Amino acid sequence: MAAGTPRVFVSHLAGVPVFDPNGDQVGRVRDLVAMLRVGGKPPRLLGMVVEVVSRRRIFVPMTRVTGVESGQVITTGVVNMRRFEQRPTERLVLGEFLDRRVRLKETDEEVTVLDVAIQQLPARRDWEIDKFFVRKGRGGALRRKGETLTVEWSAISGFSLEEHGQGAENLVATFERLRPTDVANALHHLTPKRRAEVAAALDDDRLADVLEELPGDDQVEILGKLEEDRAADVLEAMDPDDAADLLSELPEADKERLLALMRPDDAADVRRLLSYEERTAGGLMTTEPIILRPDATVADALARVRQQDLSPALAAQVYVCRSPDETPTGKYLGTVHFQRLLRDPPFTLVSSIVDSDLVPLRPDTPLPAVTSYLAAYNMVSVPVVDESGSLLGAVTVDDVLDHLLPEDWRETDFLGEEEITGGL
């Protein structure tokens, strides 16, 4: 771990208040949720179990935790009030890790877990279980007399995934090392029952990534087997264009019900995309390209491009627009390509190096014209603007390919389903 990233012992979080950005209390931390991983990797911390005023226990993802400080936790303020239900791949840190008897690998000595440390990964939002505070000696009255020490996760045995059962849980762990498209390919070849089990065990972000790579029929089937609140959470985690494509396959009543359960900002993006014809620039585009104001610098642009969640196609360029800088934006000024960002000094204003020669597309541009544009100018992404010149989004080459390839192209078994699933 890099120096400077905070380490927190979970016993210090038990019962601490959880606040929104305005300082209003949301509830109190009652537990933390982790997921075991294969290959000796430390467990990933998924989120917190928070007891709200009504004594209902809800799940708050770590992606919505902005601060873990002394005596308090700060969130984005946007939480789902659905009652927390533990999934097969999840472990409760306070409830299942503390007071557990495990062994030190080096000496095979049995120890008791007294506390668990978590740490945020550098330059990422992810948190992992980092260290264990343990006491040597046997249980009962003698346990308080043993030596205490802090050890790395890798120094103990008794928590590995391989020791925690088979079936969907181990399959999910196997999938963790694969790209979403390979997970989708394996999931497609499972039985409907096993497919539903695996989907239920995946966390929202991972399931969203996988759904984006699945054929439409599989998407609809999986989404239909989720509870509606969770289905809305997964749709929020998907790229807006992919969520719109999936919702367009549902009956109107189901579509509207799910949109009503989504966060208003996310639902607004999806509704806007649903208003365009499917095989047009508007129907193909994503509403979340990298957008910068004219006074941003090359350093600002490179920081945005480095974001881990961006696809290579979206990271290949930034779009310069006047305020507001969320779609639909103020006036679109031009594009700055990644190579240009690498050539200019960090303090250079992006407004001074924009490429304004290429004419952006209108949302009603048909698919063949979008394809020709990308091919003619060797682009991986193209801006889409409305009649007033405001940026609406961008069409990436991968979205175009999805509509040009044969419908059964996802049937290609890149890795071999037996290799991935082990015959499960």
Side-chain angles (χ1 to χ4, degrees), residues 102-150:
V102 296
R103 291 187 177 277
L104 300 177
K105 290 182 179 178
E106 185 175 351
T107 63
D108 198 37
E109 186 175 1
E110 194 174 39
V111 295
T112 301
V113 177
L114 301 181
D115 211 340
V116 176
I118 59 174
Q119 191 168 39
Q120 189 172 22
L121 298 181
R124 295 178 61 182
R125 294 181 300 174
D126 290 346
W127 288 72
E128 288 183 344
I129 285 181
D130 178 38
K131 296 180 182 292
F132 279 71
F133 182 58
V134 300
R135 173 176 280 119
K136 293 183 178 181
R138 301 181 62 83
L142 295 177
R143 63 187 290 181
R144 294 185 177 276
K145 300 179 181 180
E147 174 191 357
T148 58
L149 65 158
T150 302

Side-chain angles (χ1 to χ4, degrees), residues 195-302:
R195 188 157 52 233
E197 290 173 350
V198 173
L202 292 170
D203 66 66
D204 293 345
D205 289 337
R206 183 63 162 166
L207 181 55
D209 291 340
V210 173
L211 279 178
E212 291 173 0
E213 305 297 333
L214 279 168
D217 290 346
D218 288 344
Q219 290 181 330
V220 171
E221 173 199 307
I222 290 173
L223 196 73
K225 292 182 178 178
L226 302 177
E227 292 184 1
E228 286 190 342
D229 283 339
R230 194 195 172 203
D233 289 344
V234 173
L235 287 167
E236 290 172 358
M238 295 175 70
D239 289 337
D241 54 324
D242 291 302
D245 288 343
L246 174 49
L247 284 170
S248 68
E249 300 291 329
L250 301 180
E252 190 67 23
D254 294 342
K255 178 175 66 178
E256 287 300 323
R257 192 160 53 249
L258 289 171
L259 283 167
L261 290 171
M262 293 173 65
R263 291 192 298 262
D265 289 348
D266 293 316
D269 285 341
V270 174
R271 286 184 188 278
R272 190 163 68 249
L273 291 170
L274 286 168
S275 69
Y276 299 113
E277 294 293 330
E278 180 182 359
R279 297 173 71 83
T280 64
L284 294 168
M285 70 182 180
T286 176
T287 57
E288 298 179 343
I290 303 177
I291 300 168
L292 293 172
R293 297 181 185 182
D295 58 352
T297 64
V298 165
D300 296 327
L302 289 173

Side-chain angles (χ1 to χ4, degrees), residues 8 38 79-80 98 116 140 170 176 185 189 196 212 220 244 269 289 314-315 322 328 353 357 372 384-385 396 419:
V8 181
V38 293
V79 295
N80 191 314
L98 301 194
V116 176
N170 270 4
E176 186 179 321
N185 183 56
H189 290 91
E212 291 173 0
V220 171
D269 285 341
L314 284 179
R322 298 199 184 281
I353 57 174
D357 293 338
S372 299
V384 180
V385 303
T396 59
E419 175 186 342

Side-chain angles (χ1 to χ4, degrees), residues 291-298 300-301 318-325 329-334 336 347-354:
I291 300 168
L292 293 172
R293 297 181 185 182
D295 58 352
T297 64
V298 165
D300 296 327
V318 300
Y319 299 107
V320 182
C321 304
R322 298 199 184 281
S323 180
D325 51 5
T329 68
K331 183 176 176 56
Y332 167 72
L333 300 178
V336 182
F347 53 80
T348 305
L349 295 181
V350 292
S351 57
S352 68
I353 57 174
V354 294

